[in-house]
Amino acid sequence: MLYSTEVKEAAKRLFLRRCKAKEIQAQLNLPNIRIVYYWIRQGGWEDMLSDEEPLTAVGRRITLLLDKSTSLTKGDLDELDRLTTVRDRLIKQSAKPVPATIGDPTVDDGPRREGQRNERRERGDRNDKGGKKREKKAKNEVGELTEVDFLDKFISKMYGYQKELFAAKQNPLTSRIRNILKSRQVGLTYYFAGEAFMDAVLTGDNQIFLSASRAQSEIFRSYIVSFAQEWFGLELTGNPIVLSKDGKPWAELRFLSTNSSTAQGHHGHVYVDEYFWIRDFEKLNTVASAMATHKKWRKTYFSTPSAVSHQAYPFWTGEKFRNSKRKNAKDPWPSEAQAAAGALCPDGQWRKVITILDAITGGCDLFDLEQLQLEYDEDKFQQLFMCKFIDSTQSAFSLVDLERCYSDLSLWTDYDPDDPRPFGNSPVWIGYDPSRTRDDASCVVVAPPLEDGGKFRILEKHSWRGQSFKYQADQVKKLTERFNVQHIGIDTTGIGYGVFDLVRDFYPRATSIHYSLETKNTLVLKAQDTIQGSRIEWDAGWNDIAQAFLTIKRGTTNGGQVTYSASRTDASGHADIAWAIMHALAHEPLNTNKQRRSRYTLSGPSTHGQTSKKPAKNTGSRAHAGVFIRRTGTGADREHRALPGRVCHSRRAHVHASGIPPGSGQAAARQRPPRRHSRIQTQFAAA
């Protein structure tokens, strides 16, 4: 059987990447493995391989496994786990100080040179003032910290519900998998960052944090750096943070996003943040399980609820386990009340629900419950603070479609938020939803696609509450100074006109969007078309965007007309950030493929721009193909006077100034300029 050059070159590339012959056969769908060995021998591919260090070889093999297009098998996961263990051992061995080499005794001046080097080193280590030798402190040294230090700074300041989480970590029966459903802003990210830092310092265990995006994972790192500085006066550096004890590597703290393929190359205690807002949860769970395969490692999942249609919902409810044929599946499952209080379930997970009421009962005095109930409608309050899932079947937007719009802000190389011009001179659109009595003023900066049908990107989002019209307008003005703004869409229904009037002073092209039944339907239809087509992206850590779109529900008016609402009022929605995005997207027509149709037609094989009416056939003997000929003279040739499809234009009368009689000079000026040909000229068909 003959094989193409492309197949052989593909096999060669895989071999040089150190793929096994069996793997090459599987990837290229070759009938047998012997042909691979034949190519290796015939081409001398083994001679092309370069020698490499053991650590490099292990890292290359890990990368090769992660680059597989198909899902990893059980054998691949086992091999990955072994490789990561070997890799960590090699890293620790390479970090150990190398013992000083003994000089050659046959060389007489060897000891003298060594003594000179030591003398110079000691002089360099002494300061100018006291002559005392300076002690070099290892980077991120935590050897002096003890449990007593954390008892005073961290453990003694926990709220009641945080102490329950800490007790579950200490209990061998409940420490393996902790699954927490939580309210918004109850301080669990803060707590787990402190817990992981304490565990890394005292035990030397690696800690891995998985978040939806790089920006969200950096929140953990900022907390840990702040803890070390505030509690112990230590300055932690590096990413990942490698802690040292007695001058030797002690523990690693890694902060990863779920779209990072390198996440599978590490192992340790795993913390998964907001897993109900991460797409492809089943794949994520496989990754997390691979990193915490050993019995000593823990897995901690915590998140606010999203929708019942999310992949993580059966994981939380234990539906898959209870429907399986495993022997423990018949054990009694804890009730909702037991799970809310914290219960060990038959699948080995310790589940707990922490609502805002539980947080207040546990000693957290950071909330004004009555004010929050005024600011949020009932459905949103139940979801964000009472841990109730959204019934996405009633939503105008699907959670699956929204998940496909997740991206990572760090991957957008053309956008730098720290730059005075974050997006350079590239155009942006701004959508603004003004503040009302009890909700926020939301503003988004959207990068439009550069070509028709391309993707939008949400670069920034802002929220202002309880501010005056002038303050909100000033914030919009600052955005126009940082970006090349081409469109500003503002809701002018009700009090929004005040902000719109101020914005027009510095940006006259601002677009007023006055809500009506037709306007609202147009906005939602445009957003549905954009989201369902995966034509918009935002950072996966911005959970509030997906939450806002999920709260928009379809309904009917008293007259039976379709409408969309997300709040107590019909005029405007409460999903502020979602409506702000729609105000920006409204600048693009609903039909992006619409083109103007020409009344003219081109002859030949191309049919672009043809009208529905076919031109009459020219039966004359002097028919011209490819051009249309218009008569310009007054001769006897008049057969082209009335061509099919010709557009008649009215002749404009001669105009002269009032009171000035037309003279001979004016008459000469009114004469038509001479044609290129005295008889005919060609006229190109309109595009």
Side-chain angles (χ1 to χ4, degrees), residues 172-232:
L173 298 176
T174 59
S175 63
R176 173 63 177 170
I177 304 176
R178 292 177 296 173
N179 197 346
I180 298 98
L181 197 66
K182 70 177 186 71
S183 165
R184 172 188 280 188
Q185 296 295 321
V186 294
L188 285 201
T189 303
Y190 177 91
Y191 164 76
F192 284 124
E195 176 191 282
F197 178 53
M198 174 182 173
D199 190 61
V201 171
L202 300 181
T203 65
D205 293 341
N206 297 333
Q207 314 289 327
I208 302 174
F209 302 90
L210 284 175
S211 301
S213 65
R214 175 65 64 177
Q216 192 174 2
S217 66
E218 286 295 322
I219 297 176
F220 282 104
R221 185 181 182 277
S222 63
Y223 276 145
I224 293 174
V225 172
S226 178
F227 295 155
Q229 182 65 41
E230 181 182 350
W231 296 347
F232 314 113

Coordinates of all heavy atoms in Angstrom, one line a residue, residues 172-232:
P172 N -11.0 13.0 59.0 CA -10.6 12.1 57.8 C -11.8 11.6 57.0 O -11.7 11.3 55.8 CB -9.9 11.0 58.5 CG -9.5 11.5 59.8 CD -10.5 12.5 60.3
L173 N -13.0 11.5 57.6 CA -14.2 11.0 56.9 C -14.8 12.0 56.0 O -15.4 11.6 55.0 CB -15.2 10.5 57.9 CG -14.8 9.4 58.9 CD1 -16.0 9.1 59.9 CD2 -14.5 8.1 58.1
T174 N -14.6 13.2 56.3 CA -15.2 14.3 55.5 C -14.2 15.2 54.7 O -14.7 16.1 54.0 CB -16.1 15.2 56.4 OG1 -15.3 15.8 57.4 CG2 -17.2 14.4 57.0
S175 N -13.0 14.9 54.8 CA -12.0 15.8 54.2 C -11.7 15.5 52.8 O -11.2 16.3 52.0 CB -10.7 15.7 55.0 OG -10.1 14.4 54.9
R176 N -12.0 14.3 52.3 CA -11.7 13.9 50.9 C -12.3 14.8 49.9 O -11.6 15.4 49.0 CB -12.1 12.4 50.7 CG -11.9 12.0 49.2 CD -10.5 12.0 48.8 NE -10.4 11.5 47.4 CZ -9.3 11.5 46.7 NH1 -8.2 12.1 47.1 NH2 -9.2 11.0 45.4
I177 N -13.6 15.0 49.9 CA -14.3 15.8 48.9 C -15.3 16.7 49.7 O -16.2 16.2 50.4 CB -15.1 15.0 47.9 CG1 -14.1 14.1 47.1 CG2 -15.8 15.9 46.9 CD1 -14.8 13.2 46.1
R178 N -15.1 18.0 49.7 CA -16.1 18.9 50.2 C -16.8 19.7 49.1 O -16.1 20.2 48.2 CB -15.4 19.9 51.2 CG -14.8 19.3 52.4 CD -14.0 20.4 53.3 NE -12.9 20.9 52.6 CZ -12.1 21.9 53.0 NH1 -12.4 22.5 54.1 NH2 -11.1 22.2 52.3
N179 N -18.1 19.7 49.2 CA -18.9 20.3 48.1 C -19.8 21.3 48.8 O -20.8 20.9 49.5 CB -19.7 19.2 47.4 CG -20.3 19.7 46.1 OD1 -20.3 20.9 45.8 ND2 -20.7 18.8 45.2
I180 N -19.6 22.6 48.6 CA -20.3 23.7 49.3 C -21.1 24.5 48.3 O -20.5 25.0 47.3 CB -19.4 24.6 50.1 CG1 -18.6 23.7 51.2 CG2 -20.1 25.7 50.8 CD1 -17.3 23.3 50.8
L181 N -22.4 24.7 48.5 CA -23.2 25.6 47.8 C -23.4 26.9 48.7 O -23.8 26.8 49.8 CB -24.6 25.0 47.5 CG -25.4 25.6 46.4 CD1 -24.8 25.5 45.0 CD2 -26.8 25.0 46.4
K182 N -23.0 28.0 48.2 CA -22.9 29.2 49.0 C -23.7 30.4 48.5 O -24.0 30.5 47.3 CB -21.4 29.6 49.2 CG -20.8 30.1 47.9 CD -19.4 30.5 48.1 CE -18.8 31.2 46.9 NZ -19.4 32.6 46.7
S183 N -23.9 31.3 49.4 CA -24.4 32.6 49.0 C -23.3 33.5 48.5 O -22.1 33.2 48.6 CB -25.1 33.3 50.2 OG -25.4 34.6 50.0
R184 N -23.7 34.6 47.8 CA -22.7 35.5 47.3 C -22.1 36.3 48.5 O -22.8 36.7 49.5 CB -23.4 36.5 46.3 CG -22.5 37.7 45.9 CD -23.3 38.7 45.1 NE -23.4 38.3 43.7 CZ -23.9 39.0 42.7 NH1 -24.3 40.3 43.0 NH2 -24.0 38.6 41.5
Q185 N -20.8 36.6 48.4 CA -20.1 37.5 49.3 C -20.2 37.0 50.8 O -20.3 37.9 51.7 CB -20.7 38.9 49.2 CG -20.5 39.5 47.8 CD -19.0 39.7 47.5 OE1 -18.2 40.1 48.3 NE2 -18.6 39.5 46.2
V186 N -20.0 35.7 51.0 CA -20.0 35.3 52.4 C -18.5 35.0 52.8 O -18.3 34.4 53.9 CB -20.8 34.0 52.6 CG1 -22.3 34.4 52.5 CG2 -20.4 32.9 51.7
G187 N -17.6 35.3 52.0 CA -16.2 35.2 52.3 C -15.5 33.8 52.2 O -14.5 33.5 52.9
L188 N -16.0 33.0 51.3 CA -15.5 31.6 51.2 C -14.2 31.7 50.4 O -13.3 30.9 50.7 CB -16.5 30.7 50.6 CG -17.6 30.2 51.5 CD1 -18.2 28.9 50.9 CD2 -17.2 30.0 52.9
T189 N -14.1 32.5 49.4 CA -12.8 32.6 48.7 C -11.7 33.1 49.6 O -10.6 32.6 49.6 CB -13.0 33.6 47.5 OG1 -14.0 33.2 46.6 CG2 -11.7 33.7 46.7
Y190 N -12.0 34.1 50.5 CA -11.1 34.6 51.5 C -10.7 33.4 52.4 O -9.5 33.2 52.7 CB -11.7 35.7 52.2 CG -10.9 36.3 53.3 CD1 -10.1 37.3 53.1 CD2 -11.0 35.8 54.6 CE1 -9.3 37.9 54.2 CE2 -10.3 36.3 55.7 CZ -9.4 37.4 55.4 OH -8.7 37.9 56.5
Y191 N -11.7 32.7 52.9 CA -11.4 31.6 53.9 C -10.5 30.5 53.3 O -9.6 30.1 53.9 CB -12.7 31.0 54.4 CG -12.5 29.7 55.1 CD1 -11.9 29.6 56.4 CD2 -12.8 28.5 54.4 CE1 -11.7 28.4 57.0 CE2 -12.6 27.3 55.1 CZ -12.0 27.2 56.3 OH -11.7 26.0 56.9
F192 N -10.9 30.0 52.1 CA -10.2 28.9 51.5 C -8.7 29.3 51.1 O -7.8 28.5 51.1 CB -10.9 28.4 50.3 CG -12.1 27.5 50.6 CD1 -13.3 27.8 50.2 CD2 -11.9 26.4 51.5 CE1 -14.4 27.0 50.5 CE2 -13.0 25.6 51.8 CZ -14.3 25.9 51.3
A193 N -8.5 30.6 50.8 CA -7.2 31.1 50.5 C -6.3 31.0 51.8 O -5.2 30.6 51.8 CB -7.2 32.5 50.0
G194 N -6.9 31.4 52.9 CA -6.2 31.3 54.2 C -6.0 29.9 54.6 O -5.0 29.5 55.2
E195 N -7.0 29.0 54.4 CA -6.9 27.6 54.8 C -5.8 27.0 54.0 O -4.9 26.2 54.5 CB -8.2 26.9 54.5 CG -8.2 25.4 54.8 CD -9.4 24.7 54.3 OE1 -10.4 24.7 55.0 OE2 -9.3 24.0 53.2
A196 N -5.7 27.2 52.7 CA -4.7 26.6 51.8 C -3.3 27.1 52.2 O -2.3 26.3 52.2 CB -5.0 26.9 50.4
F197 N -3.2 28.4 52.5 CA -1.9 29.0 52.9 C -1.4 28.3 54.2 O -0.2 28.0 54.3 CB -2.0 30.5 53.0 CG -0.7 31.2 53.5 CD1 0.5 31.0 52.8 CD2 -0.8 32.0 54.6 CE1 1.6 31.6 53.2 CE2 0.4 32.6 55.0 CZ 1.6 32.4 54.3
M198 N -2.3 28.2 55.1 CA -1.9 27.6 56.4 C -1.5 26.1 56.2 O -0.5 25.7 56.8 CB -3.1 27.7 57.4 CG -2.9 27.0 58.7 SD -4.4 27.1 59.7 CE -3.9 26.0 61.1
D199 N -2.3 25.4 55.4 CA -1.9 24.0 55.2 C -0.6 23.8 54.5 O 0.2 22.9 54.8 CB -3.1 23.4 54.4 CG -3.0 21.9 54.3 OD1 -3.0 21.2 55.3 OD2 -2.8 21.3 53.2
A200 N -0.3 24.7 53.5 CA 1.0 24.6 52.8 C 2.1 24.9 53.7 O 3.2 24.3 53.6 CB 0.9 25.6 51.6
V201 N 2.0 25.9 54.6 CA 3.1 26.3 55.5 C 3.4 25.2 56.5 O 4.5 24.8 56.8 CB 2.8 27.6 56.2 CG1 3.8 27.9 57.3 CG2 2.8 28.7 55.2
L202 N 2.3 24.6 57.1 CA 2.5 23.6 58.2 C 2.8 22.2 57.7 O 3.5 21.4 58.4 CB 1.2 23.6 59.0 CG 0.8 24.9 59.7 CD1 -0.4 24.7 60.6 CD2 2.0 25.5 60.5
T203 N 2.3 21.8 56.5 CA 2.4 20.4 56.0 C 3.3 20.3 54.8 O 3.8 19.2 54.6 CB 1.1 19.8 55.7 OG1 0.5 20.5 54.6 CG2 0.1 19.9 56.9
G204 N 3.6 21.4 54.1 CA 4.4 21.3 52.9 C 3.6 20.7 51.7 O 4.3 20.3 50.7
D205 N 2.3 20.6 51.8 CA 1.5 20.0 50.7 C 1.2 21.1 49.6 O 1.0 22.3 49.9 CB 0.2 19.5 51.2 CG 0.3 18.3 52.1 OD1 1.4 17.6 52.0 OD2 -0.6 17.9 52.8
N206 N 1.3 20.7 48.3 CA 1.0 21.6 47.3 C -0.5 22.0 47.3 O -1.4 21.2 47.6 CB 1.3 20.9 45.9 CG 2.8 20.6 45.8 OD1 3.6 21.3 46.4 ND2 3.1 19.7 45.0
Q207 N -0.8 23.2 46.8 CA -2.2 23.7 46.8 C -2.4 24.2 45.3 O -1.6 24.9 44.8 CB -2.4 24.8 47.8 CG -1.9 24.6 49.2 CD -2.7 23.5 49.9 OE1 -3.9 23.4 49.7 NE2 -2.0 22.8 50.8
I208 N -3.5 23.8 44.8 CA -3.9 24.1 43.4 C -5.3 24.8 43.4 O -6.2 24.3 43.9 CB -3.9 22.9 42.5 CG1 -2.5 22.2 42.5 CG2 -4.3 23.3 41.0 CD1 -2.5 20.9 41.7
F209 N -5.3 26.0 42.8 CA -6.6 26.7 42.7 C -7.0 26.8 41.2 O -6.3 27.2 40.4 CB -6.4 28.1 43.2 CG -5.9 28.2 44.7 CD1 -4.6 28.2 45.0 CD2 -6.8 28.2 45.7 CE1 -4.1 28.2 46.3 CE2 -6.4 28.2 47.0 CZ -5.0 28.2 47.3
L210 N -8.2 26.3 41.0 CA -8.8 26.3 39.6 C -10.0 27.3 39.6 O -10.9 27.2 40.4 CB -9.3 24.9 39.2 CG -8.3 23.9 38.8 CD1 -8.9 22.5 38.6 CD2 -7.5 24.3 37.6
S211 N -9.9 28.2 38.7 CA -11.0 29.2 38.5 C -11.4 29.2 37.0 O -10.7 28.7 36.2 CB -10.6 30.6 39.0 OG -10.2 30.5 40.4
A212 N -12.5 30.0 36.8 CA -13.0 30.0 35.4 C -12.0 30.8 34.5 O -12.0 30.6 33.3 CB -14.4 30.7 35.4
S213 N -11.3 31.8 35.0 CA -10.4 32.6 34.2 C -9.1 32.9 35.0 O -9.1 32.7 36.2 CB -11.1 33.8 33.7 OG -11.3 34.7 34.8
R214 N -8.1 33.3 34.3 CA -6.9 33.7 34.9 C -7.1 34.9 35.9 O -6.5 34.8 37.0 CB -5.9 34.1 33.8 CG -4.5 34.7 34.4 CD -3.8 33.6 35.1 NE -3.4 32.5 34.2 CZ -2.6 31.5 34.6 NH1 -2.2 31.4 35.9 NH2 -2.3 30.6 33.7
A215 N -7.9 35.8 35.5 CA -8.1 37.0 36.4 C -8.8 36.5 37.7 O -8.4 37.0 38.8 CB -9.0 38.0 35.7
Q216 N -9.7 35.6 37.6 CA -10.4 35.1 38.8 C -9.4 34.3 39.7 O -9.5 34.4 40.9 CB -11.6 34.3 38.5 CG -12.5 34.0 39.6 CD -13.8 33.3 39.2 OE1 -14.0 33.0 38.0 NE2 -14.7 33.0 40.1
S217 N -8.5 33.5 39.1 CA -7.6 32.7 39.9 C -6.6 33.6 40.6 O -6.1 33.3 41.7 CB -6.9 31.7 39.0 OG -6.0 32.4 38.1
E218 N -6.3 34.8 40.0 CA -5.4 35.7 40.7 C -5.9 36.3 42.0 O -5.2 36.8 42.8 CB -5.0 36.8 39.7 CG -4.1 36.4 38.6 CD -2.7 36.0 39.1 OE1 -2.2 36.6 40.1 OE2 -2.1 35.0 38.6
I219 N -7.3 36.2 42.2 CA -7.8 36.7 43.4 C -7.3 35.8 44.6 O -7.0 36.4 45.7 CB -9.4 36.6 43.4 CG1 -9.9 37.6 42.3 CG2 -10.0 37.0 44.7 CD1 -11.4 37.5 42.1
F220 N -7.2 34.5 44.4 CA -6.6 33.7 45.4 C -5.2 34.1 45.8 O -4.8 34.2 46.9 CB -6.6 32.2 45.0 CG -7.9 31.5 45.1 CD1 -8.7 31.3 44.0 CD2 -8.4 31.1 46.3 CE1 -9.9 30.7 44.1 CE2 -9.6 30.5 46.4 CZ -10.4 30.3 45.3
R221 N -4.4 34.4 44.7 CA -3.0 34.8 44.9 C -2.9 36.1 45.7 O -2.1 36.2 46.6 CB -2.3 34.9 43.6 CG -0.8 35.1 43.7 CD -0.1 35.3 42.4 NE 1.3 35.5 42.5 CZ 1.9 36.7 42.8 NH1 1.1 37.7 42.9 NH2 3.2 36.8 42.9
S222 N -3.7 37.0 45.3 CA -3.7 38.3 46.0 C -4.0 38.2 47.5 O -3.4 38.9 48.3 CB -4.6 39.3 45.3 OG -6.0 38.9 45.4
Y223 N -5.0 37.3 47.8 CA -5.4 37.1 49.2 C -4.2 36.5 50.0 O -3.8 36.9 51.1 CB -6.6 36.1 49.3 CG -7.9 36.8 49.1 CD1 -9.0 36.2 48.5 CD2 -8.1 38.1 49.6 CE1 -10.2 36.8 48.3 CE2 -9.4 38.7 49.5 CZ -10.4 38.0 48.8 OH -11.6 38.6 48.7
I224 N -3.5 35.5 49.4 CA -2.4 34.8 50.1 C -1.2 35.7 50.3 O -0.6 35.8 51.3 CB -2.0 33.5 49.3 CG1 -3.1 32.5 49.4 CG2 -0.7 32.9 49.9 CD1 -2.9 31.3 48.5
V225 N -0.9 36.5 49.3 CA 0.2 37.5 49.4 C -0.2 38.5 50.5 O 0.7 38.9 51.3 CB 0.4 38.2 48.1 CG1 1.4 39.4 48.2 CG2 1.0 37.2 47.0
S226 N -1.4 38.9 50.6 CA -1.9 39.9 51.6 C -1.8 39.3 53.0 O -1.4 39.9 53.9 CB -3.3 40.4 51.3 OG -3.8 41.2 52.3
F227 N -2.2 38.0 53.1 CA -2.1 37.3 54.4 C -0.7 37.3 54.9 O -0.4 37.6 56.1 CB -2.6 35.9 54.3 CG -4.1 35.8 54.0 CD1 -4.6 34.6 53.4 CD2 -4.9 36.8 54.3 CE1 -6.0 34.6 53.1 CE2 -6.3 36.7 54.0 CZ -6.8 35.6 53.4
A228 N 0.3 36.9 54.1 CA 1.7 36.8 54.5 C 2.2 38.1 54.9 O 3.0 38.2 55.9 CB 2.5 36.2 53.3
Q229 N 1.9 39.2 54.2 CA 2.4 40.5 54.5 C 1.7 41.0 55.8 O 2.4 41.6 56.6 CB 2.1 41.4 53.3 CG 2.7 42.8 53.5 CD 4.2 42.9 53.6 OE1 4.9 42.2 52.9 NE2 4.7 43.7 54.5
E230 N 0.4 40.9 55.9 CA -0.3 41.4 57.0 C -0.1 40.7 58.3 O 0.1 41.3 59.4 CB -1.8 41.5 56.7 CG -2.7 42.1 57.8 CD -4.1 42.1 57.4 OE1 -4.5 41.8 56.3 OE2 -5.0 42.3 58.3
W231 N -0.1 39.3 58.2 CA 0.1 38.5 59.4 C 1.5 38.4 59.9 O 1.8 38.5 61.1 CB -0.5 37.1 59.2 CG -2.0 37.2 58.9 CD1 -2.9 38.2 59.1 CD2 -2.8 36.1 58.4 NE1 -4.2 37.8 58.7 CE2 -4.1 36.5 58.3 CE3 -2.5 34.8 58.0 CZ2 -5.2 35.7 57.8 CZ3 -3.5 34.0 57.5 CH2 -4.9 34.5 57.4
F232 N 2.4 38.2 59.0 CA 3.8 37.8 59.4 C 4.9 38.7 58.8 O 6.0 38.4 59.1 CB 4.1 36.3 59.0 CG 3.0 35.4 59.3 CD1 2.2 34.7 58.4 CD2 2.7 35.1 60.7 CE1 1.2 33.9 58.7 CE2 1.6 34.2 61.0 CZ 0.9 33.6 60.0

